[in-house]
Amino acid sequence: MDSVAKPSHREKILTEGLRVVHERGFGGASVRDIVEAAGVPQGSFTNHFTSKEAFCLEILDLYFKDGRATIDRTLRNDSLPPLKRLRAFVDAQIKYIDRIGWRNGCLVGNFSAEASEHSEVIRKRLVEIWEELRQAVAYCLRAAVKLGELPRKTECDELAGFLIASMQGAILLSKTERSSVPFERFKRLMFSTILV
């Protein structure tokens, strides 16, 4: 008889906690909300996490694990033309946020706005995540310059930082408006005006 391993309390807390914190925010989701959503006793949280801050660092990494997979599949995928990779990356962001709902936005962006002021450890981790993303975009832009898809004079590192900040701003507006329109505008202008 095959037995499927049941998720541990820790896994349930991480999975359901990620969903709850993404929906309610860093400050809006209490430990009680998290354990109730996970269907585990409150003591399970303290058995697995030293603090809410430690828990939030783990869900941030869990969330970014999917982001890193998207980066590898798109921005760092050398088998695709560079600007096609960049478009695939942006499209993947739109598809993901469409799936989870525009009102939730991006957890990394949400934490940057609300958690970085309350936790230096979380702030530093966010800086690392943004830098990893910026480097991946710059890598893709450098490939576009090398292939002649972008002008030689393109400042890839600067442009990558600008694109990441602009994309995150578009996601924030889309979250506020609960509509993909601001993000779609960003995408259209990015490829029709900026990356030419």
Side-chain angles (χ1 to χ4, degrees), residues 83 86-87 90 137 141 144-145 149-151 153-156 158-167 170 183-196:
L83 291 185
L86 194 53
R87 187 178 293 274
V90 172
V137 172
L141 293 173
V145 169
E149 291 183 337
L150 289 175
K153 65 179 174 38
T154 303
E155 298 276 343
C156 296
E158 288 293 305
L159 182 56
F162 172 77
L163 292 176
I164 294 302
S166 299
M167 183 176 73
F183 201 105
E184 294 287 354
R185 182 185 310 120
F186 159 76
K187 177 184 164 186
R188 187 176 62 252
L189 290 172
M190 178 177 168
F191 290 102
S192 69
T193 307
I194 299 167
L195 298 177
V196 289

PDB file of all heavy atoms in Angstrom, residues 83 86-87 90 137 141 144-145 149-151 153-156 158-167 170 183-196:
ATOM      1  N   LEU A  83      16.036  39.989 -26.322  1.00  0.00           N
ATOM      2  CA  LEU A  83      14.831  40.784 -26.086  1.00  0.00           C
ATOM      3  C   LEU A  83      13.586  39.903 -25.991  1.00  0.00           C
ATOM      4  O   LEU A  83      12.620  40.264 -25.317  1.00  0.00           O
ATOM      5  CB  LEU A  83      14.668  41.875 -27.148  1.00  0.00           C
ATOM      6  CG  LEU A  83      15.710  43.006 -27.063  1.00  0.00           C
ATOM      7  CD1 LEU A  83      15.411  44.111 -28.074  1.00  0.00           C
ATOM      8  CD2 LEU A  83      15.823  43.588 -25.650  1.00  0.00           C
ATOM      9  N   LEU A  86      13.545  38.866 -22.391  1.00  0.00           N
ATOM     10  CA  LEU A  86      13.043  39.942 -21.535  1.00  0.00           C
ATOM     11  C   LEU A  86      11.525  40.029 -21.630  1.00  0.00           C
ATOM     12  O   LEU A  86      10.831  40.164 -20.620  1.00  0.00           O
ATOM     13  CB  LEU A  86      13.699  41.268 -21.929  1.00  0.00           C
ATOM     14  CG  LEU A  86      13.552  42.430 -20.969  1.00  0.00           C
ATOM     15  CD1 LEU A  86      13.991  42.066 -19.554  1.00  0.00           C
ATOM     16  CD2 LEU A  86      14.352  43.616 -21.473  1.00  0.00           C
ATOM     17  N   ARG A  87      11.002  39.929 -22.832  1.00  0.00           N
ATOM     18  CA  ARG A  87       9.545  39.951 -23.026  1.00  0.00           C
ATOM     19  C   ARG A  87       8.906  38.750 -22.321  1.00  0.00           C
ATOM     20  O   ARG A  87       7.871  38.884 -21.676  1.00  0.00           O
ATOM     21  CB  ARG A  87       9.206  39.947 -24.513  1.00  0.00           C
ATOM     22  CG  ARG A  87       7.723  40.133 -24.799  1.00  0.00           C
ATOM     23  CD  ARG A  87       7.449  40.181 -26.289  1.00  0.00           C
ATOM     24  NE  ARG A  87       7.997  41.341 -26.936  1.00  0.00           N
ATOM     25  CZ  ARG A  87       7.398  42.518 -27.028  1.00  0.00           C
ATOM     26  NH1 ARG A  87       6.210  42.685 -26.475  1.00  0.00           N
ATOM     27  NH2 ARG A  87       7.965  43.526 -27.654  1.00  0.00           N
ATOM     28  N   VAL A  90       8.720  39.487 -18.590  1.00  0.00           N
ATOM     29  CA  VAL A  90       7.629  40.424 -18.276  1.00  0.00           C
ATOM     30  C   VAL A  90       6.286  39.707 -18.412  1.00  0.00           C
ATOM     31  O   VAL A  90       5.409  39.842 -17.544  1.00  0.00           O
ATOM     32  CB  VAL A  90       7.711  41.680 -19.169  1.00  0.00           C
ATOM     33  CG1 VAL A  90       6.482  42.553 -18.991  1.00  0.00           C
ATOM     34  CG2 VAL A  90       8.977  42.480 -18.845  1.00  0.00           C
ATOM     35  N   VAL A 137      18.606  40.932 -15.310  1.00  0.00           N
ATOM     36  CA  VAL A 137      18.140  41.807 -16.399  1.00  0.00           C
ATOM     37  C   VAL A 137      19.345  42.390 -17.135  1.00  0.00           C
ATOM     38  O   VAL A 137      19.375  42.414 -18.373  1.00  0.00           O
ATOM     39  CB  VAL A 137      17.199  42.920 -15.873  1.00  0.00           C
ATOM     40  CG1 VAL A 137      16.887  43.932 -16.967  1.00  0.00           C
ATOM     41  CG2 VAL A 137      15.902  42.315 -15.331  1.00  0.00           C
ATOM     42  N   LEU A 141      20.349  42.209 -21.061  1.00  0.00           N
ATOM     43  CA  LEU A 141      20.575  43.422 -21.855  1.00  0.00           C
ATOM     44  C   LEU A 141      21.953  43.399 -22.514  1.00  0.00           C
ATOM     45  O   LEU A 141      22.097  43.802 -23.675  1.00  0.00           O
ATOM     46  CB  LEU A 141      20.421  44.674 -20.982  1.00  0.00           C
ATOM     47  CG  LEU A 141      19.015  44.957 -20.449  1.00  0.00           C
ATOM     48  CD1 LEU A 141      19.049  46.126 -19.471  1.00  0.00           C
ATOM     49  CD2 LEU A 141      18.027  45.212 -21.584  1.00  0.00           C
ATOM     50  N   ALA A 144      21.757  41.391 -25.481  1.00  0.00           N
ATOM     51  CA  ALA A 144      21.054  42.115 -26.549  1.00  0.00           C
ATOM     52  C   ALA A 144      21.994  43.093 -27.248  1.00  0.00           C
ATOM     53  O   ALA A 144      21.957  43.237 -28.476  1.00  0.00           O
ATOM     54  CB  ALA A 144      19.839  42.849 -25.979  1.00  0.00           C
ATOM     55  N   VAL A 145      22.868  43.742 -26.494  1.00  0.00           N
ATOM     56  CA  VAL A 145      23.855  44.658 -27.083  1.00  0.00           C
ATOM     57  C   VAL A 145      24.823  43.864 -27.955  1.00  0.00           C
ATOM     58  O   VAL A 145      25.121  44.243 -29.093  1.00  0.00           O
ATOM     59  CB  VAL A 145      24.611  45.442 -25.978  1.00  0.00           C
ATOM     60  CG1 VAL A 145      25.814  46.181 -26.553  1.00  0.00           C
ATOM     61  CG2 VAL A 145      23.659  46.419 -25.274  1.00  0.00           C
ATOM     62  N   GLU A 149      20.812  43.851 -30.875  1.00  0.00           N
ATOM     63  CA  GLU A 149      19.392  44.162 -30.637  1.00  0.00           C
ATOM     64  C   GLU A 149      19.223  45.508 -29.936  1.00  0.00           C
ATOM     65  O   GLU A 149      18.155  46.101 -29.984  1.00  0.00           O
ATOM     66  CB  GLU A 149      18.734  43.065 -29.785  1.00  0.00           C
ATOM     67  CG  GLU A 149      18.577  41.742 -30.484  1.00  0.00           C
ATOM     68  CD  GLU A 149      17.857  40.698 -29.628  1.00  0.00           C
ATOM     69  OE1 GLU A 149      17.857  40.807 -28.378  1.00  0.00           O
ATOM     70  OE2 GLU A 149      17.300  39.777 -30.214  1.00  0.00           O
ATOM     71  N   LEU A 150      20.269  45.947 -29.255  1.00  0.00           N
ATOM     72  CA  LEU A 150      20.283  47.259 -28.594  1.00  0.00           C
ATOM     73  C   LEU A 150      21.571  47.975 -28.991  1.00  0.00           C
ATOM     74  O   LEU A 150      22.574  47.324 -29.305  1.00  0.00           O
ATOM     75  CB  LEU A 150      20.237  47.092 -27.067  1.00  0.00           C
ATOM     76  CG  LEU A 150      18.921  46.614 -26.452  1.00  0.00           C
ATOM     77  CD1 LEU A 150      19.094  46.383 -24.955  1.00  0.00           C
ATOM     78  CD2 LEU A 150      17.791  47.597 -26.709  1.00  0.00           C
ATOM     79  N   PRO A 151      21.565  49.310 -28.943  1.00  0.00           N
ATOM     80  CA  PRO A 151      22.764  50.074 -29.309  1.00  0.00           C
ATOM     81  C   PRO A 151      23.957  49.753 -28.402  1.00  0.00           C
ATOM     82  O   PRO A 151      23.792  49.452 -27.217  1.00  0.00           O
ATOM     83  CB  PRO A 151      22.339  51.532 -29.128  1.00  0.00           C
ATOM     84  CG  PRO A 151      20.850  51.525 -29.088  1.00  0.00           C
ATOM     85  CD  PRO A 151      20.436  50.176 -28.597  1.00  0.00           C
ATOM     86  N   LYS A 153      26.025  51.705 -27.070  1.00  0.00           N
ATOM     87  CA  LYS A 153      26.174  52.673 -25.972  1.00  0.00           C
ATOM     88  C   LYS A 153      25.229  52.403 -24.802  1.00  0.00           C
ATOM     89  O   LYS A 153      25.259  53.109 -23.802  1.00  0.00           O
ATOM     90  CB  LYS A 153      25.972  54.100 -26.505  1.00  0.00           C
ATOM     91  CG  LYS A 153      24.573  54.380 -27.016  1.00  0.00           C
ATOM     92  CD  LYS A 153      24.466  55.813 -27.502  1.00  0.00           C
ATOM     93  CE  LYS A 153      23.189  56.205 -28.156  1.00  0.00           C
ATOM     94  NZ  LYS A 153      21.951  55.733 -27.699  1.00  0.00           N
ATOM     95  N   THR A 154      24.396  51.396 -24.891  1.00  0.00           N
ATOM     96  CA  THR A 154      23.431  51.086 -23.822  1.00  0.00           C
ATOM     97  C   THR A 154      24.157  50.819 -22.510  1.00  0.00           C
ATOM     98  O   THR A 154      25.066  49.997 -22.446  1.00  0.00           O
ATOM     99  CB  THR A 154      22.572  49.854 -24.207  1.00  0.00           C
ATOM    100  OG1 THR A 154      21.921  50.106 -25.450  1.00  0.00           O
ATOM    101  CG2 THR A 154      21.537  49.552 -23.141  1.00  0.00           C
ATOM    102  N   GLU A 155      23.762  51.527 -21.485  1.00  0.00           N
ATOM    103  CA  GLU A 155      24.295  51.336 -20.119  1.00  0.00           C
ATOM    104  C   GLU A 155      23.469  50.226 -19.460  1.00  0.00           C
ATOM    105  O   GLU A 155      22.452  50.494 -18.817  1.00  0.00           O
ATOM    106  CB  GLU A 155      24.174  52.634 -19.319  1.00  0.00           C
ATOM    107  CG  GLU A 155      24.960  53.794 -19.876  1.00  0.00           C
ATOM    108  CD  GLU A 155      26.403  53.769 -19.428  1.00  0.00           C
ATOM    109  OE1 GLU A 155      26.701  53.063 -18.444  1.00  0.00           O
ATOM    110  OE2 GLU A 155      27.214  54.452 -20.069  1.00  0.00           O
ATOM    111  N   CYS A 156      23.880  48.997 -19.641  1.00  0.00           N
ATOM    112  CA  CYS A 156      23.070  47.845 -19.251  1.00  0.00           C
ATOM    113  C   CYS A 156      22.743  47.792 -17.759  1.00  0.00           C
ATOM    114  O   CYS A 156      21.610  47.503 -17.377  1.00  0.00           O
ATOM    115  CB  CYS A 156      23.741  46.558 -19.707  1.00  0.00           C
ATOM    116  SG  CYS A 156      23.850  46.442 -21.506  1.00  0.00           S
ATOM    117  N   GLU A 158      22.686  50.315 -15.539  1.00  0.00           N
ATOM    118  CA  GLU A 158      21.778  51.422 -15.219  1.00  0.00           C
ATOM    119  C   GLU A 158      20.372  51.148 -15.745  1.00  0.00           C
ATOM    120  O   GLU A 158      19.383  51.348 -15.048  1.00  0.00           O
ATOM    121  CB  GLU A 158      22.304  52.729 -15.815  1.00  0.00           C
ATOM    122  CG  GLU A 158      23.522  53.295 -15.113  1.00  0.00           C
ATOM    123  CD  GLU A 158      23.199  53.755 -13.708  1.00  0.00           C
ATOM    124  OE1 GLU A 158      22.281  54.572 -13.543  1.00  0.00           O
ATOM    125  OE2 GLU A 158      23.875  53.295 -12.768  1.00  0.00           O
ATOM    126  N   LEU A 159      20.300  50.701 -16.985  1.00  0.00           N
ATOM    127  CA  LEU A 159      19.003  50.425 -17.601  1.00  0.00           C
ATOM    128  C   LEU A 159      18.288  49.291 -16.864  1.00  0.00           C
ATOM    129  O   LEU A 159      17.071  49.362 -16.644  1.00  0.00           O
ATOM    130  CB  LEU A 159      19.185  50.078 -19.091  1.00  0.00           C
ATOM    131  CG  LEU A 159      17.914  49.803 -19.883  1.00  0.00           C
ATOM    132  CD1 LEU A 159      16.924  50.969 -19.797  1.00  0.00           C
ATOM    133  CD2 LEU A 159      18.263  49.507 -21.352  1.00  0.00           C
ATOM    134  N   ALA A 160      19.027  48.278 -16.448  1.00  0.00           N
ATOM    135  CA  ALA A 160      18.416  47.169 -15.700  1.00  0.00           C
ATOM    136  C   ALA A 160      17.793  47.672 -14.398  1.00  0.00           C
ATOM    137  O   ALA A 160      16.659  47.309 -14.071  1.00  0.00           O
ATOM    138  CB  ALA A 160      19.461  46.092 -15.408  1.00  0.00           C
ATOM    139  N   GLY A 161      18.518  48.529 -13.669  1.00  0.00           N
ATOM    140  CA  GLY A 161      17.974  49.096 -12.431  1.00  0.00           C
ATOM    141  C   GLY A 161      16.721  49.912 -12.685  1.00  0.00           C
ATOM    142  O   GLY A 161      15.735  49.821 -11.943  1.00  0.00           O
ATOM    143  N   PHE A 162      16.742  50.694 -13.770  1.00  0.00           N
ATOM    144  CA  PHE A 162      15.583  51.506 -14.136  1.00  0.00           C
ATOM    145  C   PHE A 162      14.384  50.627 -14.489  1.00  0.00           C
ATOM    146  O   PHE A 162      13.262  50.884 -14.055  1.00  0.00           O
ATOM    147  CB  PHE A 162      15.943  52.413 -15.323  1.00  0.00           C
ATOM    148  CG  PHE A 162      14.767  53.151 -15.892  1.00  0.00           C
ATOM    149  CD1 PHE A 162      14.236  54.258 -15.257  1.00  0.00           C
ATOM    150  CD2 PHE A 162      14.174  52.705 -17.072  1.00  0.00           C
ATOM    151  CE1 PHE A 162      13.136  54.923 -15.784  1.00  0.00           C
ATOM    152  CE2 PHE A 162      13.081  53.363 -17.605  1.00  0.00           C
ATOM    153  CZ  PHE A 162      12.560  54.471 -16.956  1.00  0.00           C
ATOM    154  N   LEU A 163      14.630  49.570 -15.264  1.00  0.00           N
ATOM    155  CA  LEU A 163      13.532  48.688 -15.683  1.00  0.00           C
ATOM    156  C   LEU A 163      12.910  47.965 -14.492  1.00  0.00           C
ATOM    157  O   LEU A 163      11.682  47.840 -14.400  1.00  0.00           O
ATOM    158  CB  LEU A 163      14.011  47.687 -16.735  1.00  0.00           C
ATOM    159  CG  LEU A 163      14.384  48.282 -18.091  1.00  0.00           C
ATOM    160  CD1 LEU A 163      14.939  47.195 -19.009  1.00  0.00           C
ATOM    161  CD2 LEU A 163      13.197  48.986 -18.742  1.00  0.00           C
ATOM    162  N   ILE A 164      13.754  47.500 -13.561  1.00  0.00           N
ATOM    163  CA  ILE A 164      13.244  46.807 -12.370  1.00  0.00           C
ATOM    164  C   ILE A 164      12.395  47.768 -11.534  1.00  0.00           C
ATOM    165  O   ILE A 164      11.299  47.424 -11.096  1.00  0.00           O
ATOM    166  CB  ILE A 164      14.397  46.232 -11.528  1.00  0.00           C
ATOM    167  CG1 ILE A 164      15.128  45.133 -12.297  1.00  0.00           C
ATOM    168  CG2 ILE A 164      13.917  45.721 -10.176  1.00  0.00           C
ATOM    169  CD1 ILE A 164      14.264  43.980 -12.731  1.00  0.00           C
ATOM    170  N   ALA A 165      12.906  48.982 -11.308  1.00  0.00           N
ATOM    171  CA  ALA A 165      12.156  49.969 -10.520  1.00  0.00           C
ATOM    172  C   ALA A 165      10.845  50.337 -11.218  1.00  0.00           C
ATOM    173  O   ALA A 165       9.798  50.449 -10.568  1.00  0.00           O
ATOM    174  CB  ALA A 165      13.009  51.213 -10.291  1.00  0.00           C
ATOM    175  N   SER A 166      10.891  50.498 -12.522  1.00  0.00           N
ATOM    176  CA  SER A 166       9.691  50.848 -13.280  1.00  0.00           C
ATOM    177  C   SER A 166       8.669  49.716 -13.261  1.00  0.00           C
ATOM    178  O   SER A 166       7.468  49.947 -13.106  1.00  0.00           O
ATOM    179  CB  SER A 166      10.054  51.187 -14.729  1.00  0.00           C
ATOM    180  OG  SER A 166      10.929  52.285 -14.762  1.00  0.00           O
ATOM    181  N   MET A 167       9.163  48.508 -13.416  1.00  0.00           N
ATOM    182  CA  MET A 167       8.264  47.351 -13.388  1.00  0.00           C
ATOM    183  C   MET A 167       7.584  47.241 -12.026  1.00  0.00           C
ATOM    184  O   MET A 167       6.378  47.017 -11.934  1.00  0.00           O
ATOM    185  CB  MET A 167       9.024  46.068 -13.709  1.00  0.00           C
ATOM    186  CG  MET A 167       8.125  44.848 -13.760  1.00  0.00           C
ATOM    187  SD  MET A 167       8.988  43.346 -14.261  1.00  0.00           S
ATOM    188  CE  MET A 167       9.948  43.006 -12.804  1.00  0.00           C
ATOM    189  N   ALA A 170       4.929  49.773 -11.716  1.00  0.00           N
ATOM    190  CA  ALA A 170       3.759  49.374 -12.496  1.00  0.00           C
ATOM    191  C   ALA A 170       2.947  48.313 -11.754  1.00  0.00           C
ATOM    192  O   ALA A 170       1.708  48.357 -11.749  1.00  0.00           O
ATOM    193  CB  ALA A 170       4.197  48.855 -13.864  1.00  0.00           C
ATOM    194  N   PHE A 183       0.535  47.821 -15.719  1.00  0.00           N
ATOM    195  CA  PHE A 183       1.617  46.905 -16.066  1.00  0.00           C
ATOM    196  C   PHE A 183       1.689  46.735 -17.582  1.00  0.00           C
ATOM    197  O   PHE A 183       2.777  46.714 -18.157  1.00  0.00           O
ATOM    198  CB  PHE A 183       1.415  45.554 -15.385  1.00  0.00           C
ATOM    199  CG  PHE A 183       2.685  44.765 -15.275  1.00  0.00           C
ATOM    200  CD1 PHE A 183       3.339  44.640 -14.077  1.00  0.00           C
ATOM    201  CD2 PHE A 183       3.241  44.150 -16.385  1.00  0.00           C
ATOM    202  CE1 PHE A 183       4.522  43.913 -13.971  1.00  0.00           C
ATOM    203  CE2 PHE A 183       4.410  43.419 -16.298  1.00  0.00           C
ATOM    204  CZ  PHE A 183       5.052  43.302 -15.081  1.00  0.00           C
ATOM    205  N   GLU A 184       0.552  46.630 -18.230  1.00  0.00           N
ATOM    206  CA  GLU A 184       0.526  46.507 -19.696  1.00  0.00           C
ATOM    207  C   GLU A 184       1.113  47.760 -20.342  1.00  0.00           C
ATOM    208  O   GLU A 184       1.822  47.676 -21.343  1.00  0.00           O
ATOM    209  CB  GLU A 184      -0.901  46.255 -20.195  1.00  0.00           C
ATOM    210  CG  GLU A 184      -1.487  44.915 -19.776  1.00  0.00           C
ATOM    211  CD  GLU A 184      -0.908  43.721 -20.516  1.00  0.00           C
ATOM    212  OE1 GLU A 184      -0.108  43.883 -21.462  1.00  0.00           O
ATOM    213  OE2 GLU A 184      -1.261  42.583 -20.138  1.00  0.00           O
ATOM    214  N   ARG A 185       0.827  48.934 -19.764  1.00  0.00           N
ATOM    215  CA  ARG A 185       1.392  50.196 -20.262  1.00  0.00           C
ATOM    216  C   ARG A 185       2.913  50.178 -20.143  1.00  0.00           C
ATOM    217  O   ARG A 185       3.637  50.552 -21.059  1.00  0.00           O
ATOM    218  CB  ARG A 185       0.820  51.376 -19.486  1.00  0.00           C
ATOM    219  CG  ARG A 185       1.306  52.738 -19.972  1.00  0.00           C
ATOM    220  CD  ARG A 185       0.794  53.894 -19.090  1.00  0.00           C
ATOM    221  NE  ARG A 185      -0.636  53.818 -18.871  1.00  0.00           N
ATOM    222  CZ  ARG A 185      -1.215  53.711 -17.658  1.00  0.00           C
ATOM    223  NH1 ARG A 185      -0.486  53.670 -16.560  1.00  0.00           N
ATOM    224  NH2 ARG A 185      -2.519  53.644 -17.541  1.00  0.00           N
ATOM    225  N   PHE A 186       3.402  49.742 -18.985  1.00  0.00           N
ATOM    226  CA  PHE A 186       4.838  49.614 -18.772  1.00  0.00           C
ATOM    227  C   PHE A 186       5.452  48.721 -19.853  1.00  0.00           C
ATOM    228  O   PHE A 186       6.442  49.075 -20.482  1.00  0.00           O
ATOM    229  CB  PHE A 186       5.118  49.037 -17.374  1.00  0.00           C
ATOM    230  CG  PHE A 186       6.476  48.407 -17.244  1.00  0.00           C
ATOM    231  CD1 PHE A 186       7.615  49.186 -17.124  1.00  0.00           C
ATOM    232  CD2 PHE A 186       6.621  47.024 -17.275  1.00  0.00           C
ATOM    233  CE1 PHE A 186       8.882  48.600 -17.025  1.00  0.00           C
ATOM    234  CE2 PHE A 186       7.873  46.431 -17.173  1.00  0.00           C
ATOM    235  CZ  PHE A 186       9.000  47.225 -17.055  1.00  0.00           C
ATOM    236  N   LYS A 187       4.846  47.563 -20.074  1.00  0.00           N
ATOM    237  CA  LYS A 187       5.362  46.610 -21.058  1.00  0.00           C
ATOM    238  C   LYS A 187       5.387  47.235 -22.461  1.00  0.00           C
ATOM    239  O   LYS A 187       6.389  47.131 -23.176  1.00  0.00           O
ATOM    240  CB  LYS A 187       4.494  45.350 -21.060  1.00  0.00           C
ATOM    241  CG  LYS A 187       4.898  44.327 -22.097  1.00  0.00           C
ATOM    242  CD  LYS A 187       3.924  43.164 -22.099  1.00  0.00           C
ATOM    243  CE  LYS A 187       4.067  42.346 -23.362  1.00  0.00           C
ATOM    244  NZ  LYS A 187       3.062  41.299 -23.455  1.00  0.00           N
ATOM    245  N   ARG A 188       4.295  47.886 -22.832  1.00  0.00           N
ATOM    246  CA  ARG A 188       4.209  48.489 -24.169  1.00  0.00           C
ATOM    247  C   ARG A 188       5.298  49.541 -24.368  1.00  0.00           C
ATOM    248  O   ARG A 188       6.029  49.525 -25.360  1.00  0.00           O
ATOM    249  CB  ARG A 188       2.818  49.096 -24.369  1.00  0.00           C
ATOM    250  CG  ARG A 188       2.546  49.592 -25.771  1.00  0.00           C
ATOM    251  CD  ARG A 188       1.126  50.102 -25.946  1.00  0.00           C
ATOM    252  NE  ARG A 188       0.828  51.239 -25.080  1.00  0.00           N
ATOM    253  CZ  ARG A 188       0.042  51.197 -24.007  1.00  0.00           C
ATOM    254  NH1 ARG A 188      -0.545  50.077 -23.641  1.00  0.00           N
ATOM    255  NH2 ARG A 188      -0.169  52.288 -23.282  1.00  0.00           N
ATOM    256  N   LEU A 189       5.454  50.439 -23.398  1.00  0.00           N
ATOM    257  CA  LEU A 189       6.446  51.513 -23.515  1.00  0.00           C
ATOM    258  C   LEU A 189       7.871  50.973 -23.418  1.00  0.00           C
ATOM    259  O   LEU A 189       8.781  51.476 -24.077  1.00  0.00           O
ATOM    260  CB  LEU A 189       6.207  52.584 -22.455  1.00  0.00           C
ATOM    261  CG  LEU A 189       4.954  53.425 -22.675  1.00  0.00           C
ATOM    262  CD1 LEU A 189       4.683  54.317 -21.486  1.00  0.00           C
ATOM    263  CD2 LEU A 189       5.074  54.244 -23.956  1.00  0.00           C
ATOM    264  N   MET A 190       8.053  49.953 -22.625  1.00  0.00           N
ATOM    265  CA  MET A 190       9.376  49.348 -22.484  1.00  0.00           C
ATOM    266  C   MET A 190       9.892  48.865 -23.841  1.00  0.00           C
ATOM    267  O   MET A 190      11.041  49.127 -24.202  1.00  0.00           O
ATOM    268  CB  MET A 190       9.281  48.177 -21.495  1.00  0.00           C
ATOM    269  CG  MET A 190      10.554  47.418 -21.287  1.00  0.00           C
ATOM    270  SD  MET A 190      10.205  46.148 -20.019  1.00  0.00           S
ATOM    271  CE  MET A 190      11.664  45.147 -20.183  1.00  0.00           C
ATOM    272  N   PHE A 191       9.027  48.195 -24.592  1.00  0.00           N
ATOM    273  CA  PHE A 191       9.477  47.622 -25.858  1.00  0.00           C
ATOM    274  C   PHE A 191       9.300  48.544 -27.061  1.00  0.00           C
ATOM    275  O   PHE A 191       9.947  48.341 -28.075  1.00  0.00           O
ATOM    276  CB  PHE A 191       8.777  46.272 -26.099  1.00  0.00           C
ATOM    277  CG  PHE A 191       9.252  45.204 -25.155  1.00  0.00           C
ATOM    278  CD1 PHE A 191       8.488  44.832 -24.056  1.00  0.00           C
ATOM    279  CD2 PHE A 191      10.507  44.612 -25.324  1.00  0.00           C
ATOM    280  CE1 PHE A 191       8.941  43.872 -23.170  1.00  0.00           C
ATOM    281  CE2 PHE A 191      10.963  43.657 -24.447  1.00  0.00           C
ATOM    282  CZ  PHE A 191      10.187  43.285 -23.359  1.00  0.00           C
ATOM    283  N   SER A 192       8.456  49.589 -26.931  1.00  0.00           N
ATOM    284  CA  SER A 192       8.254  50.488 -28.084  1.00  0.00           C
ATOM    285  C   SER A 192       9.081  51.767 -27.987  1.00  0.00           C
ATOM    286  O   SER A 192       9.344  52.417 -28.996  1.00  0.00           O
ATOM    287  CB  SER A 192       6.779  50.855 -28.207  1.00  0.00           C
ATOM    288  OG  SER A 192       6.374  51.701 -27.135  1.00  0.00           O
ATOM    289  N   THR A 193       9.477  52.135 -26.773  1.00  0.00           N
ATOM    290  CA  THR A 193      10.148  53.422 -26.585  1.00  0.00           C
ATOM    291  C   THR A 193      11.510  53.315 -25.927  1.00  0.00           C
ATOM    292  O   THR A 193      12.473  53.957 -26.354  1.00  0.00           O
ATOM    293  CB  THR A 193       9.247  54.349 -25.711  1.00  0.00           C
ATOM    294  OG1 THR A 193       7.948  54.408 -26.307  1.00  0.00           O
ATOM    295  CG2 THR A 193       9.820  55.744 -25.605  1.00  0.00           C
ATOM    296  N   ILE A 194      11.635  52.488 -24.895  1.00  0.00           N
ATOM    297  CA  ILE A 194      12.863  52.419 -24.118  1.00  0.00           C
ATOM    298  C   ILE A 194      13.902  51.503 -24.771  1.00  0.00           C
ATOM    299  O   ILE A 194      15.058  51.859 -24.914  1.00  0.00           O
ATOM    300  CB  ILE A 194      12.567  51.984 -22.669  1.00  0.00           C
ATOM    301  CG1 ILE A 194      11.643  53.023 -22.005  1.00  0.00           C
ATOM    302  CG2 ILE A 194      13.836  51.837 -21.867  1.00  0.00           C
ATOM    303  CD1 ILE A 194      11.032  52.570 -20.716  1.00  0.00           C
ATOM    304  N   LEU A 195      13.488  50.310 -25.149  1.00  0.00           N
ATOM    305  CA  LEU A 195      14.418  49.319 -25.676  1.00  0.00           C
ATOM    306  C   LEU A 195      14.431  49.349 -27.205  1.00  0.00           C
ATOM    307  O   LEU A 195      14.120  48.363 -27.864  1.00  0.00           O
ATOM    308  CB  LEU A 195      14.053  47.921 -25.173  1.00  0.00           C
ATOM    309  CG  LEU A 195      14.107  47.720 -23.672  1.00  0.00           C
ATOM    310  CD1 LEU A 195      13.667  46.328 -23.288  1.00  0.00           C
ATOM    311  CD2 LEU A 195      15.524  47.993 -23.141  1.00  0.00           C
ATOM    312  N   VAL A 196      14.821  50.487 -27.753  1.00  0.00           N
ATOM    313  CA  VAL A 196      14.896  50.612 -29.214  1.00  0.00           C
ATOM    314  C   VAL A 196      16.250  51.170 -29.621  1.00  0.00           C
ATOM    315  O   VAL A 196      16.941  51.766 -28.859  1.00  0.00           O
ATOM    316  CB  VAL A 196      13.763  51.514 -29.790  1.00  0.00           C
ATOM    317  CG1 VAL A 196      12.435  50.786 -29.672  1.00  0.00           C
ATOM    318  CG2 VAL A 196      13.708  52.852 -29.102  1.00  0.00           C
TER     319      VAL A 196
END
